[in-house]
Amino acid sequence: MKPNVSTHILHYLSNHMAYYIFILILLAGGTAAGALLVNIYAPLHIIPDIQFGGSGQIFSAMLIDLFILLFIWTSGFTLAGLPVAWFLIYMKGCLFGFASGMMLYEKGMGGILEAAIVLLPHNLLIMSVYIILGAESLILAGQIWKGIGARQPFIYTIKSIGTAYLVLLGVSLAAAGVAGLVEYYVPGFLIRIFIT
């Protein structure tokens, strides 16, 4: 009996769970640090005035996400780029935590619903992409260096996993585009339903 796709995915995830947990910890740590920064700097009145929304801001944020995702994907081919990719993932969490914390600080408990409406829909999607791409770039780097240790030609390692890794980049960039559309349309729709 042939194992189905979900069995393959579960087997793959169980073998590589540590990589995913590591990236998740980076993102969660950044989120916690960003939220703590609000508590540190808000009483000093040195928090910048950040406006949420606007097509220009959303387009800029989407371009930044696309660039960062491309960098994270490229870092899988090296060891040198991985710490920078990890820092970028940490900072993504930090910005999310800071924005959420700032909304809660300014609006109190009423800011929870607004933060969930404005920040969660697109960030759930884009942060999932960050986690998957970050973990997969780490897995690829490990396989490349294992191949080098076994004196296996670099091109052989790339050929064996290159197509799937290239598809992962395409899916990640498409998901970032969808996240941009979600950020543009969904919060305004939800605000009209739940807040106004």
Side-chain angles (χ1 to χ4, degrees):
M1 187 171 160
K2 254 175 140 177
N4 59 20
V5 175
S6 61
T7 306
H8 282 300
I9 292 171
L10 288 173
H11 179 68
Y12 180 83
L13 286 176
S14 66
N15 287 339
H16 297 97
M17 188 58 67
Y19 300 104
Y20 282 86
I21 290 172
F22 173 71
I23 300 299
L24 189 58
I25 288 171
L26 281 176
L27 197 60
T31 302
L36 288 173
L37 283 175
V38 174
N39 290 328
I40 293 169
Y41 291 113
L44 303 175
H45 303 290
I46 54 176
I47 288 194
D49 183 28
I50 298 174
Q51 300 296 322
F52 296 101
S55 58
Q57 284 182 333
I58 291 170
F59 184 70
S60 298
M62 189 176 72
L63 284 179
I64 291 169
D65 279 328
L66 290 172
F67 176 75
I68 291 173
L69 290 171
L70 183 60
F71 181 85
I72 292 170
W73 182 83
T74 307
S75 73
F77 297 103
T78 67
L79 277 182
L82 284 175
V84 178
W86 298 340
F87 176 74
L88 292 172
I89 292 168
Y90 176 84
M91 287 308 297
K92 179 68 178 177
C94 195
L95 290 172
F96 174 73
F98 185 80
S100 302
M102 191 169 67
M103 291 178 93
L104 291 174
Y105 180 81
E106 289 177 349
K107 302 188 176 181
M109 294 308 284
I112 292 176
L113 178 61
E114 192 170 333
I117 288 173
V118 173
L119 298 174
L120 268 187
H122 65 281
N123 274 307
L124 285 176
L125 177 59
I126 198 69
M127 285 183 168
S128 300
V129 174
Y130 271 75
I131 292 167
I132 292 168
L133 198 57
E136 291 300 322
S137 68
L138 188 54
I139 292 166
L140 175 65
Q143 289 175 338
I144 289 172
W145 286 98
K146 191 195 298 183
I148 289 171
R151 297 176 188 258
Q152 177 177 308
F154 178 77
I155 196 71
Y156 177 78
T157 306
I158 295 301
K159 275 185 182 177
S160 65
I161 52 178
T163 305
Y165 198 63
L166 190 59
V167 168
L168 178 64
L169 174 65
V171 170
S172 299
L173 297 181
V178 170
L181 291 174
V182 168
E183 185 177 10
Y184 186 77
Y185 290 107
V186 172
F189 175 73
L190 293 177
I191 285 171
R192 282 195 300 273
I193 292 174
F194 293 106
I195 294 181
T196 56

